[in-house]
Amino acid sequence: MVTKITEGVKVSVETIYQPEYSNPVNEHFMFAYRVKIENMGDYTVQLMSRKWIIFDSNGTKRQVEGEGVVGQQPIIEPGENHEYVSGCNLKTDIGTMKGSYEMLRVVDGQKFQVKIPEFQLIALYKLN
């Protein structure tokens, strides 16, 4: 698990290789990742959008942007957290992801960026 704190918002990510949804012969490797976003600050925040940068070990880089996460724009009170699971497919058995969330401080409408720590996507058989 990797963790990063930005302006009182803690983001932790863990990954799971999914062999049952992967097809290495066709260069299709599926990974799930679980994200926990904790509001360690004094103000209520809302996650407005996300931006991901995805790297494949073959040198391919792609960027994914959109509103919210898995169809939600969660509001997170101080001391509370929000968790979700999503997925990513790669053409190789090793890669990385990193990114950021645009957050809104509800009390004054101030927007700020929260960094998502870089994490590795590695097929389990590569770890042996």
Side-chain angles (χ1 to χ4, degrees):
M1 181 178 293
V2 295
T3 299
K4 187 167 203 73
I5 301 172
T6 309
E7 294 196 39
V9 178
K10 180 179 178 181
V11 178
S12 303
V13 185
E14 65 177 321
T15 62
I16 305 130
Y17 174 60
Q18 299 195 297
E20 63 276 18
Y21 299 109
S22 298
N23 188 338
V25 172
N26 291 324
E27 298 180 331
H28 181 80
F29 299 88
M30 194 67 204
F31 297 87
Y33 55 90
R34 178 187 312 276
V35 179
K36 182 176 184 180
I37 304 165
E38 299 175 74
N39 184 353
M40 302 171 72
D42 297 326
Y43 301 100
T44 302
V45 297
Q46 182 173 13
L47 192 157
M48 302 306 292
S49 64
R50 71 193 182 288
K51 178 179 179 179
W52 288 106
I53 301 171
I54 305 164
F55 295 95
D56 237 309
S57 62
N58 64 5
T60 304
K61 173 185 169 184
R62 57 191 158 125
Q63 191 167 300
V64 177
E65 297 184 51
E67 289 188 2
V69 289
V70 293
Q72 300 179 356
Q73 291 180 311
I75 295 173
I76 310 168
E77 301 286 341
E80 299 292 321
N81 67 73
H82 178 78
E83 290 188 50
Y84 71 94
V85 175
S86 191
C88 176
N89 65 307
L90 298 178
K91 288 191 174 289
T92 62
D93 51 9
I94 298 176
T96 62
M97 289 178 67
K98 65 180 179 178
S100 62
Y101 296 124
E102 181 180 70
M103 305 293 277
L104 174 75
R105 196 166 54 207
V106 174
V107 68
D108 61 6
Q110 181 71 36
K111 290 184 178 179
F112 61 100
Q113 298 294 312
V114 170
K115 292 185 188 277
I116 303 167
E118 184 171 39
F119 55 94
Q120 295 182 333
L121 303 164
I122 303 174
L124 290 177
Y125 61 83
K126 293 299 265 188
L127 298 175
N128 293 332

